[in-house]
Amino acid sequence: MTDNVRHAPQVHDGPSSRHPLVPYINAWSEEEDPPGKVIEIPGRGLVYADELVTDRDDRGVLWFRTISRPRQGRPNFQRVHPLRQRRAMRRLLCQVCAEPADVTEDGVLWLLKDQRTDWPDWPKGMGVTEPPVCLSCVPVAARQCPALRKGAAAIRARSFPVSGVRAMIYRSGPDGLNPIGEKNIPYGNSALRWARAMNLIRKLNECTVVSLEELCQKSK
């Protein structure tokens, strides 16, 4: 699978009619993490005690195990579902509805927290864990997403390779392995041996900031 794949999705679980504003990538209360004890193997790093082939991605990185029960229970807006986030990022699906993200000659559409004052060419070279969006979901995402309420920016990117993961890092201690914090880690970094991934990261390049107001008008 290429990093810039733009194929239409297969059957998916999009937002429900009962909770129409719950994004596809959000977790639900019935999606608690299944049991999975992590242990240390000298010379290899972090592994599950009962590890399966499906516990790692195609680059050998260990991921959090997840149960997929979308629309069951209550929406958890504080937690992103690792498997659905990873699927949306790999297939370039809208993070809200899981339909294909909007694409023009200027690139794929992302809706991000406005940080244009951070550096002159923002967001060039920035790693993002937020999947892209489709045109019709721009207004609701800008209005409902807590991270975007203080200011959103619409970005089109022509280049967006998969570059790494956001993961929980573990350290060996007297009482075994302990989680010490989350970190963005590029693929190929040795720290991945001690990490359990939760989000896929794409690196945005060849970026253009576009008018959010115009996009909202076009989506009607």
Side-chain angles (χ1 to χ4, degrees), residues 59-116:
R59 303 198 194 191
V61 174
L62 191 69
W63 278 73
F64 271 88
R65 288 176 171 174
T66 56
I67 294 174
S68 184
R69 294 174 180 167
R71 304 191 300 276
Q72 294 187 33
R74 300 178 306 280
N76 183 351
F77 293 102
Q78 304 303 315
R79 183 171 177 263
V80 170
H81 190 271
L83 182 61
R84 290 196 292 274
Q85 187 273 353
R86 182 174 155 195
R87 179 177 184 269
M89 285 292 260
R90 281 207 173 275
R91 299 187 177 216
L92 294 174
L93 306 180
C94 175
Q95 63 172 287
V96 179
C97 69
E99 291 298 318
D102 190 66
V103 184
T104 69
E105 61 182 12
D106 290 324
V108 174
L109 181 62
W110 261 267
L111 197 59
L112 306 174
K113 182 179 178 181
D114 194 343
Q115 296 175 316
R116 276 175 278 190

Side-chain angles (χ1 to χ4, degrees), residues 4-15:
N4 291 352
V5 61
R6 299 182 183 180
H7 301 307
Q10 298 176 356
V11 177
H12 61 78
D13 294 300

Side-chain angles (χ1 to χ4, degrees), residues 12-25:
H12 61 78
D13 294 300
S16 71
S17 58
R18 185 162 57 93
H19 297 285
L21 301 182
V22 179
Y24 168 73
I25 63 170

